[in-house]
């Protein structure tokens, strides 16, 4: 069964540093997403991406965040200047099409620790 | 944003049927009811989705009454590997594709 993959599985960085989290969505999917989950809290939507542009973003997704699809397979989340409160599990997801009736497939996540 | 309410936690013995009920009083008339599952340290995983009446797949059944103000996820004969958090997803609003997770129901299956 095809799956979403994410690298690295764990990233430790110092406050103020830039990090790039990488994802490879399922190959025939057209919509891509990033979510995050702070330890012990609920999963929160960050951004969705379609046709090489952001289609929706949450209040969390401020100017320090950006997303990119640099080639035909990767989808990245960049955090420009990390803060302690950015420490969380970051999940990438993809779906065949947009709309709630389309299942979103999640990757295993990247645990980001900001020290 | 339509909010969902579900129990915070449930315990069950192995082999029993587990029913988790979610209330979604303000669900939009054209919205689907969707449930996801999350194991510790993993990403959420789709379980089942329905619009009305009953839907069944190889993992679970979903019962939706006619008024659609609630839904019940039914897991037949649970095993230890069904220990997870189960989310009934809220409606994020028209035109939004984001999944809106609440706190979910933490199911603990006991041997």
């Amino acid at each position: 069964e095809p799956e979403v993959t994410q690298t690295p599985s764990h990233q430790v960085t110092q406050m103020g540093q830039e990090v790039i989290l990488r994802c490879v969505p399922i190959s025939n999917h057209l919509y891509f997403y990033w979510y995050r989950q702070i330890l012990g809290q609920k999963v929160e939507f960050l951004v969705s991406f379609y046709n090489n542009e952001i289609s929706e973003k949450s209040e969390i997704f401020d100017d320090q965040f950006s997303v990119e699809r640099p080639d035909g397979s990767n989808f990245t989340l960049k955090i420009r200047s990390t803060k302690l409160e950015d420490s969380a599990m970051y999940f990438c997801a993809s779906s065949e099409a947009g709309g709630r009736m389309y299942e979103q497939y999640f990757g295993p996540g990247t645990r980001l620790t900001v020290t | 944003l339509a909010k969902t309410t579900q129990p915070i936690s449930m315990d069950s013995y192995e082999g029993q049927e587990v029913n988790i009920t979610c209330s979604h009083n303000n669900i939009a008339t054209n919205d689907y009811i969707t449930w996801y599952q999350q194991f510790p340290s993993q990403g959420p995983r789709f379980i089942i989705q329905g619009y009305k009446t009953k839907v069944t797949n190889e993992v679970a059944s979903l019962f939706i009454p006619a008024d659609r103000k609630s839904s019940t996820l039914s897991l037949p004969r649970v095993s230890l590997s069904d220990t997870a958090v189960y989310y009934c997803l809220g409606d994020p609003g028209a035109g939004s594709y984001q999944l809106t997770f609440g706190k979910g129901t933490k199911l603990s299956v006991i041997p």
Side-chain angles (χ1 to χ4, degrees), chain A residues 34-106:
Chain A
W34 283 101
Y35 293 81
R36 79 172 185 190
Q37 186 174 31
I38 295 170
L39 187 63
Q41 298 188 23
K42 61 185 182 180
V43 178
E44 301 174 290
F45 169 78
L46 294 178
V47 66
S48 61
F49 192 85
Y50 168 71
N51 200 26
N52 281 319
E53 60 182 31
I54 291 173
S55 52
E56 188 179 2
K57 62 182 181 179
S58 72
E59 291 178 355
I60 302 168
F61 194 88
D62 61 22
D63 290 344
Q64 70 160 345
F65 290 93
S66 62
V67 289
E68 191 179 30
R69 188 152 163 83
D71 52 43
S73 60
N74 289 285
F75 180 50
T76 63
L77 174 70
K78 183 193 288 186
I79 309 175
R80 288 190 184 82
S81 178
T82 51
K83 304 171 189 169
L84 293 176
E85 55 264 37
D86 293 328
S87 293
M89 197 77 164
Y90 287 81
F91 296 107
C92 172
S94 68
S95 62
E96 280 183 64
R100 287 285 301 278
M101 70 289 294
Y102 291 96
E103 177 182 347
Q104 291 186 21
Y105 293 78
F106 283 74

Side-chain angles (χ1 to χ4, degrees), chain B residues 4 38-39 51 89 103:
Chain B
T4 61
Q38 186 179 26
F39 296 113
Y51 184 77
L89 299 195
K103 294 183 179 178

Side-chain angles (χ1 to χ4, degrees), chain B residues 87-106:
Chain B
Y87 300 97
C88 166
L89 299 195
D91 175 9
S96 174
Y97 298 162
Q98 65 176 276
L99 299 181
T100 305
F101 292 86
K103 294 183 179 178
T105 297
K106 185 174 181 180

Side-chain angles (χ1 to χ4, degrees), chain B residues 7-22:
Chain B
I8 292 173
S9 64
M10 293 180 71
D11 292 336
S12 176
Y13 288 103
E14 272 192 295
Q16 290 189 328
E17 178 184 78
V18 170
N19 296 307
I20 305 174
T21 297
C22 173

